[in-house]
């Protein structure tokens, strides 16, 4: 597994462990105030990072490019800021909202970067496959 794919997969597993721990904590305490944080950890963290890892594993040449590394670090840093900030904000500290907003926009920028990286590769691979059929 390439470096970027491995890093995204590791990040996904860490998010899954943190998200499940938060879910268990909410269930045991019967306090579900952090449900939005839990959902963000599981979807934005675990699921998206796993999808990114899978993509870079399928297309190893793309994973070797500098943009893939930029994508990883942008996603990892902004995602961590988003999830920690969201947890603190929902715990009753609204002053952290600028961090949540900045991290959210940066995380979205990471997804836009992924679209820029991935869509041409996927479409090119599909066209190549169709050309081989003909």
């Amino acid at each position: 597994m390439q470096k970027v794919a491995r890093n995204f997969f590791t990040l996904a597993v860490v998010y899954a462990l943190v998200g499940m721990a938060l879910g268990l904590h909410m269930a045991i305490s019967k306090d579900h105030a952090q449900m939005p944080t839990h959902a963000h950890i599981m979807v934005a963290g675990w699921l998206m990072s796993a999808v990114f890892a899978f993509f870079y594993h399928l297309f190893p040449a793309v994973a070797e490019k500098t943009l893939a590394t930029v994508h990883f670090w942008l996603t990892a840093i902004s995602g961590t800021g988003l999830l920690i900030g969201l947890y603190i904000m929902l715990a009753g500290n609204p002053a952290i909202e600028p961090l949540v907003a900045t991290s959210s926009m940066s995380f979205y920028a990471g997804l836009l970067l992924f679209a820029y990286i991935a869509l041409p590769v996927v479409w090119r691979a599909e066209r190549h496959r169709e050309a081989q059929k003909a």
Side-chain angles (χ1 to χ4, degrees):
M1 186 175 269
Q2 310 85 346
K3 183 175 144 185
V4 170
R6 181 199 64 219
N7 290 348
F8 267 120
F9 187 75
T10 302
L11 185 63
V13 170
V14 170
Y15 278 133
L17 291 169
V18 170
M20 297 272 309
L22 179 57
L24 286 169
H25 172 73
M26 289 187 306
I28 292 166
S29 69
K30 297 186 183 350
D31 177 2
H32 294 86
Q34 290 291 341
M35 185 63 75
T37 306
H38 169 72
H40 277 76
I41 292 170
M42 297 308 291
V43 175
W46 155 244
L47 182 62
M48 288 180 70
S49 294
V51 168
F52 298 153
F54 183 62
F55 170 80
Y56 287 118
H57 182 71
L58 284 176
F59 298 98
V62 179
E64 297 300 320
K65 297 185 186 263
T66 302
L67 272 183
T69 302
V70 170
H71 174 227
F72 171 76
W73 285 110
L74 179 59
T75 300
I77 293 167
S78 63
T80 301
L82 168 63
L83 300 174
I84 291 171
L86 188 58
Y87 183 89
I88 293 169
M89 189 176 78
L90 292 175
N93 299 294
I96 198 85
E97 193 169 354
L99 172 67
V100 175
T102 302
S103 296
S104 294
M105 289 184 281
S106 298
F107 195 80
Y108 186 66
L111 186 56
L112 288 173
L113 178 58
F114 179 68
Y116 176 80
I117 293 167
L119 291 177
V121 173
V122 171
W123 282 98
R124 193 169 36 248
E126 179 63 24
R127 282 195 305 269
H128 177 73
R129 196 179 75 190
E130 286 176 5
Q132 285 183 330
K133 285 182 186 178

